[in-house]
Amino acid sequence: MKIRLLYNKLAEAKYVAHLDLTRFLERALRRAGVPVARSQGFNPHARISFGPPLAVGVEGLGEYADVEIQSDGRLKPAAAAEQAVRALRAQMPPNISILDYCLLPPGAPALTAIIDLACYLAWIPLREPRAEAELERALADWLAQAEIMVVRTKEGGARPVSKNIRPFVRRLALRGAAATGADGPGFGLELEIGLSNAGSAKAAEVVRSLCAFAALPWEQAGLSLVRTGLFAGGEKRLSPLLTPCPR
Amino acid sequence: MTGAIAYNEAASLRRALERVLPAVAKPGRYTGGEWNMARKDWAAAEVRLAFLFPDVYEVAMSNLALRILYGLVNDDPRFLCERVFAPWPDMAEKMRAAGIPLYGLESLRPLRAFDVLGVTLQYELSYTNILYMLDLAGIPRRSARRRQSGGAENWPWLLAGGAGAFNPEPLAPFFDIFLLGDGEELLPAVLAQIGAAKKNGVSRAETLRRLTGRAGVYVPEFYTPQTDGQGVFQGVRVEAPAPAQVQKAVVTDFSAAYFPVRCIVPYNEAVHDRIMLEVMRGCTRGCRFCQAGMTGRPLRERRPELLRRQAQEAVRATGYEEISLVSLSTGDYSGVGGLLRDLTADMAAWSVNVSLPSLRLDSFDVTLAAEVQKVRKSGLTFAPEAGSQRLRDVINKGVRDEDLIQTVTAAFAAGWHNIKLYYMIGLPTEREEDLDGIAAQAEAVLAAGRRAGVRARVAVSVSNFVPKPHTPFQWAAQDDPAVLLAKQSYLREKLRRTAVKLQCHDAEMSAAEAVLSRADRRGADLLEALADRGAMFDSWSEWFRPELWRAAFAATGLKAADFTGARSLTAPLPWDHLSAGVCGAFLRAEAEKAGRAERTADCRLICGRCGACGGAA
């Protein structure tokens, strides 16, 4: 029996790397006494799988994980799932919460196979304010490029690779520009980024490229990124919980 | 601290961190918030302790002393304990630039806000990090300096305990109190006294007078080293009411001692990221080089049914997937086989593995090992420590060549392929044939593999002997780094054409360790000269900078040889006024027996009259 969990990852939990989160969830399930199914073989591992990894330093408002649970048949699947989630919730820290869940039908495709869109919200601090019109123009000009190459360096001395990120950026929209305020001058940016077998673009990469392209006086240290949601079914039609998205 | 921002509130520190953390490696090291982290009411605590571990997060979080004392102090309603670790250099640089002082991970309050800073002294090469951390906290290093700037009462108390407290002389000028021995009963008692002093307005000086005399409390300012004209140590002058010799604190009923079942579960993977079930304390083997084996005496075991219950509780509280049975020599635990089988059975339903960390050849039983590693045959580690029977007798390590070959043959038959062998070079009385013995033994293990029809992989790890206080080798010389290097290349040449993988420890790092291990109070000048030159993370080969050590020696006029050379069996030693339980007469007798390559039996079989059990030697 498989359960799909919807959870968030806020505040300092944004610094928890993806692999560390995997280990964390496995331990939380053990504390909760949830009998997770395990693979056979020499090194049995818990059958838990995640959606697209969240970069370190990015908060997530709606992230997903699938957990396969051994059922002893005493409870109906719906009741067993409810019990497991209730026990798990008691084992989560304040900044990682289970928001919702669903029971997956047998043979449901994996999260990574169905999630095709990630939405982000960025706050980009500027040393000097910029007019909204100027920022709008910068977005339009950046999007108008046919090809946007970024260089990705890998840890461990592997050769850096170049990637064209333009095809993955579905939408960029200004979400307010401030001249001053609690966080100083800056602007908000909505990003919609596609994910496919061909890869994806990282939100931070898009912001860096945009700011460099438009020669914006931005403060990289103050950049804040939130992944607001993940979607499936093309055109934001389906939530990964297999429910239609509200239009 | 000119230019620094005054952080009165955790909120403002949090905001400053927000701007710094995205640009450092592993930011999770600096945020706290892990599962089982203590969240105590700051205002309600009578005494607030910051537990300083002078190394990076992943190392610190693997430490059992931290787990025990953190749990113990926080379980007491009178106290509060937070963790403070050494920021990696990338973070330290950003903290200095942003004016962020070193802070506690639980409440994000700066170190100066605490009543007590407690440092654990686990290894000598982390001492420079203590000064590095005090500098980052904006706290004057020397207690005399703290007294001068606003009075001692203006600053937190500085305490230190752990293995290094048995010779804390190079750190003495920086600390108010050292705690010797087991901390479970001692630390809360000292914190309570400090709390009472704080409440009743008792001065720091008076509180020190009241504390001294209690077993385990060493107040260095009551002991003034006496030297000859050349600065050579001649003993200490003791000031009343301090005792002539400080005895260590000992927890006698180990089963009743506190054990942390609700330990913190880090997000970042710690070096030892598992439940550590401490099955016993102390060791009866009597290896003559081993400080922990001598200072940890007497041997105390925990009851097996208690260990089973603690294991259950710890898994429920942490969710860890592995339990390690830790001690200096877990194979020597009475009834280790039964305990392993019971625990393995208890844990099967939880999908939790049980493991043994330190396997000794002479107590190693392949069926036992097969019990715990039913499926994973990752590798086995043995520590013959020396290559010849004669030298193993000198160091009192009871392992014979045939034991090793028999054991590895059984291990190959049971499915293991990877064997790791630990040796030490530079041991007292070592000769060329002892080095030849290391190579021969490693090759014999390879040959045993061939006979068993196994493509065995043998890795040899060679460390350098460091003479340690309170051991029978405390008077012995350490080889010069040049000699150690020559011995390493000799071994490398010997093993060049074989399939044995050889790994050698850095000779200059071992020399630095030896200096601090047996230094007197002059070592403090050296540490300060090192800190002034930016020394930090000296136990990390990528940060250890021998040129800084050379410069610090030159600046202080000290010589490494003053500390690494042989000492006379009759000359006073800088740690003679501190007792680790094992008496000097026993150590001297052991040193003489070592010279004759004479063995001493495991003291469970024949009492060696070391004095640690409380009986007179």
Side-chain angles (χ1 to χ4, degrees):
Chain A
M1 166 177 111
K2 263 192 189 172
I3 302 177
R4 180 159 293 169
L5 302 169
L6 169 65
Y7 64 92
N8 62 15
K9 197 162 162 273
L10 309 173
E12 69 254 43
K14 72 182 175 187
Y15 296 117
V16 177
H18 186 67
L19 272 176
D20 297 336
L21 184 73
T22 313
R23 222 172 17 239
F24 167 80
L25 186 60
E26 197 183 326
R27 290 168 181 169
L29 286 159
R30 186 176 286 105
R31 292 194 295 265
V34 175
V36 180
R38 304 183 79 77
S39 65
Q40 302 298 308
F42 284 115
N43 253 325
H45 60 267
R47 291 196 185 273
I48 302 174
S49 53
F50 285 82
L54 201 53
V56 172
V58 181
E59 289 183 301
L61 302 186
E63 299 292 309
Y64 298 90
D66 291 350
V67 179
E68 193 177 334
I69 295 176
Q70 295 168 339
S71 172
D72 58 9
R74 278 189 292 125
L75 289 177
K76 290 211 171 81
E82 204 216 305
Q83 194 183 57
V85 171
R86 196 176 338 115
L88 180 60
R89 279 191 167 131
Q91 298 298 328
M92 302 299 274
N95 46 33
I96 305 178
S97 306
I98 310 284
L99 304 173
D100 203 353
Y101 72 97
C102 72
L103 204 56
L104 285 182
L111 285 163
T112 44
I114 59 165
I115 290 175
D116 52 23
L117 190 73
C119 298
Y120 292 86
L121 186 60
W123 171 257
I124 301 161
L126 297 173
R127 278 188 293 276
E128 309 133 29
R130 284 287 185 275
E132 237 170 270
E134 185 193 337
L135 293 167
E136 292 279 14
R137 205 164 44 245
L139 296 192
D141 290 350
W142 186 84
L143 284 167
Q145 300 170 95
E147 192 184 73
I148 300 169
M149 300 304 289
V150 296
V151 177
R152 288 177 182 171
T153 51
K154 299 242 176 206
E155 268 181 68
R159 192 193 307 242
V161 287
S162 291
K163 182 136 187 120
N164 176 17
I165 57 168
R166 180 62 193 88
F168 304 108
V169 182
R170 302 283 166 76
R171 184 170 157 265
L172 286 185
L174 199 62
R175 185 114 159 236
T180 55
D183 298 311
F187 64 103
L189 184 69
E190 281 177 42
L191 303 93
E192 290 187 17
I193 296 174
L195 299 106
S196 73
N197 290 338
S200 186
K202 295 172 188 164
E205 218 165 54
V206 175
V207 170
R208 259 199 309 275
S209 166
L210 171 72
C211 291
F213 173 83
L216 296 173
W218 73 305
E219 275 191 87
Q220 198 157 352
L223 171 68
S224 121
L225 275 172
V226 180
R227 184 147 83 183
T228 52
L230 293 165
F231 299 93
E235 307 294 320
K236 284 204 208 180
R237 269 194 292 267
L238 193 62
S239 137
L241 288 180
L242 311 179
T243 51
C245 290
R247 288 264 115 188
Chain B
M1 288 178 67
T2 16
I5 310 156
Y7 285 102
N8 297 317
E9 286 188 310
S12 58
L13 196 140
R14 196 177 292 275
R15 282 170 69 89
L17 280 176
E18 270 295 294
R19 300 181 67 82
V20 160
L21 290 180
V24 302
K26 302 194 183 178
R29 287 165 170 169
Y30 311 109
T31 58
E34 309 91 326
W35 189 255
N36 286 339
M37 181 182 93
R39 295 168 198 274
K40 296 203 75 170
D41 181 355
W42 180 270
E46 290 167 32
V47 181
R48 300 165 189 129
L49 165 71
F51 190 107
L52 271 68
F53 194 106
D55 208 324
V56 75
Y57 181 92
E58 295 88 325
V59 175
M61 288 303 291
S62 304
N63 180 256
L64 187 56
L66 166 68
R67 291 188 189 184
I68 294 171
L69 298 174
Y70 180 83
L72 173 94
V73 173
N74 279 319
D75 280 1
D76 193 317
R78 297 170 294 172
F79 310 139
L80 159 163
C81 177
E82 301 200 9
R83 298 162 296 155
V84 184
F85 304 145
W88 200 244
D90 65 336
M91 179 64 174
E93 198 186 310
K94 299 246 183 270
M95 287 170 71
R96 285 189 203 103
I100 300 174
L102 194 59
Y103 56 90
L105 287 176
E106 277 68 13
S107 73
L108 304 190
R109 284 187 169 84
L111 249 57
R112 269 203 67 174
F114 289 81
D115 300 305
V116 182
L117 310 183
V119 183
T120 179
L121 310 174
Q122 299 289 325
Y123 35 89
E124 293 83 352
L125 287 183
S126 69
Y127 291 177
T128 42
N129 264 13
I130 298 172
L131 301 188
Y132 164 75
M133 290 172 80
L134 289 178
D135 291 354
L136 282 170
I139 292 174
R141 297 168 184 165
R142 294 195 180 238
S143 19
R145 265 296 306 283
R146 294 195 295 274
R147 272 198 295 274
Q148 287 154 14
S149 35
E153 283 78 4
N154 193 33
W155 301 97
W157 289 80
L158 253 76
L159 265 54
F166 286 111
N167 178 30
E169 289 307 290
L171 294 168
F174 310 121
F175 285 87
D176 302 301
I177 302 174
F178 293 97
L179 302 180
L180 274 58
D182 298 323
E184 282 99 336
E185 292 158 6
L186 179 58
L187 180 61
V190 171
L191 292 181
Q193 186 87 43
I194 288 175
K198 183 180 158 189
K199 202 158 113 193
N200 306 323
V202 181
S203 73
R204 188 74 56 105
E206 176 55 26
T207 308
L208 286 173
R209 273 192 291 276
R210 290 181 189 179
L211 278 167
T212 188
R214 167 184 266 282
V217 174
Y218 170 43
V219 179
E221 67 180 55
F222 293 148
Y223 300 79
T224 312
Q226 309 295 302
T227 53
D228 67 7
Q230 272 76 53
V232 177
F233 180 78
Q234 299 293 322
V236 291
R237 198 189 62 229
V238 188
E239 191 183 309
Q245 195 186 40
V246 179
Q247 303 301 311
K248 72 169 175 182
V250 180
V251 169
T252 44
D253 185 353
F254 191 49
S255 286
Y258 178 87
F259 178 78
V261 286
R262 305 191 59 85
C263 71
I264 295 176
V265 185
Y267 289 110
N268 282 17
E269 196 169 8
V271 178
H272 298 296
D273 203 14
R274 56 187 75 96
I275 293 164
M276 288 187 272
L277 208 55
E278 194 183 12
V279 298
M280 60 181 185
R281 203 169 280 174
C283 180
T284 56
R285 295 273 169 174
C287 300
R288 291 178 178 131
F289 55 84
C290 180
Q291 189 182 39
M294 292 293 159
T295 60
R297 291 180 171 206
L299 184 86
R300 290 144 292 163
E301 296 193 340
R302 249 187 198 129
R303 290 194 306 275
E305 66 278 10
L306 174 64
L307 291 167
R308 283 174 75 181
R309 198 167 70 233
Q310 289 175 341
Q312 292 274 3
E313 287 173 16
V315 168
R316 269 177 224 277
T318 63
Y320 266 125
E321 58 285 330
E322 188 178 347
I323 296 176
S324 185
L325 305 184
V326 304
S327 76
L328 291 173
S329 178
T330 300
D332 289 342
Y333 176 76
S334 317
V336 63
L339 175 64
L340 267 177
R341 270 183 288 275
D342 288 342
L343 277 178
T344 309
D346 292 348
M347 291 300 145
W350 294 87
S351 302
V352 171
N353 296 317
V354 183
S355 66
L356 294 173
S358 56
L359 285 177
R360 293 178 50 119
L361 203 46
D362 34 8
S363 61
F364 178 77
D365 175 347
V366 171
T367 54
L368 207 67
E371 194 74 40
V372 287
Q373 304 196 357
K374 276 200 185 76
V375 278
R376 275 186 301 156
K377 299 274 158 87
S378 41
L380 290 177
T381 302
F382 300 110
E385 302 291 3
S388 75
Q389 193 57 53
R390 183 200 63 83
L391 192 52
R392 283 194 295 272
D393 289 344
V394 168
I395 64 177
N396 201 33
K397 183 92 191 184
V399 175
R400 293 170 309 162
D401 282 321
E402 47 271 39
D403 295 338
L404 175 65
I405 298 309
Q406 212 171 31
T407 308
V408 296
T409 304
F412 291 139
W416 274 278
H417 295 204
N418 297 337
I419 306 285
K420 196 164 188 184
L421 301 172
Y422 281 108
Y423 296 97
M424 237 185 265
I425 57 169
L427 285 162
T429 78
E430 182 185 60
R431 306 192 281 249
E432 195 172 292
E433 66 218 45
D434 301 311
L435 299 177
D436 296 340
I438 294 176
Q441 210 170 46
E443 287 186 82
V445 172
L446 271 181
R450 276 194 299 274
R451 280 198 303 278
V454 168
R455 278 177 64 94
R457 301 217 313 206
V458 178
V460 166
S461 174
V462 171
S463 62
N464 309 306
F465 166 68
V466 178
K468 293 278 162 112
H470 304 282
T471 69
F473 288 166
Q474 63 181 352
W475 298 277
Q478 186 190 44
D479 278 347
D480 282 341
V483 175
L484 289 171
L485 283 173
K487 289 178 177 176
Q488 290 177 357
S489 9
Y490 179 81
L491 270 177
R492 197 165 283 121
E493 184 56 32
K494 279 237 127 190
L495 290 168
R496 196 162 58 90
R497 289 179 191 287
T498 70
V500 176
K501 231 184 101 195
L502 175 68
Q503 197 193 17
C504 295
H505 286 218
D506 188 299
E508 291 195 272
M509 285 172 74
S510 299
E513 183 186 336
V515 166
L516 295 178
S517 145
R518 293 195 301 174
D520 51 44
R521 261 180 223 191
R522 291 174 297 168
D525 301 335
L526 184 72
L527 283 171
E528 206 157 29
L530 280 160
D532 288 342
R533 286 162 178 76
M536 57 184 173
F537 287 98
D538 277 311
S539 61
W540 292 73
S541 51
E542 71 250 56
W543 291 107
F544 178 76
R545 289 191 284 164
E547 71 278 10
L548 294 188
W549 284 74
R550 283 191 285 272
F553 273 116
T556 52
L558 296 167
K559 287 192 294 291
D562 297 341
F563 305 107
T564 58
R567 317 258 171 124
S568 149
L569 250 66
T570 53
L573 296 168
W575 52 90
D576 276 346
H577 58 295
L578 306 174
S579 167
V582 175
C583 68
F586 172 78
L587 295 178
R588 257 186 292 276
E590 281 294 292
E592 281 157 4
K593 283 172 89 174
R596 301 190 297 269
E598 206 176 298
R599 301 263 345 251
T600 292
D602 185 317
C603 71
R604 284 203 218 197
L605 305 173
I606 305 168
C607 172
R609 300 196 159 271
C610 72
C613 292

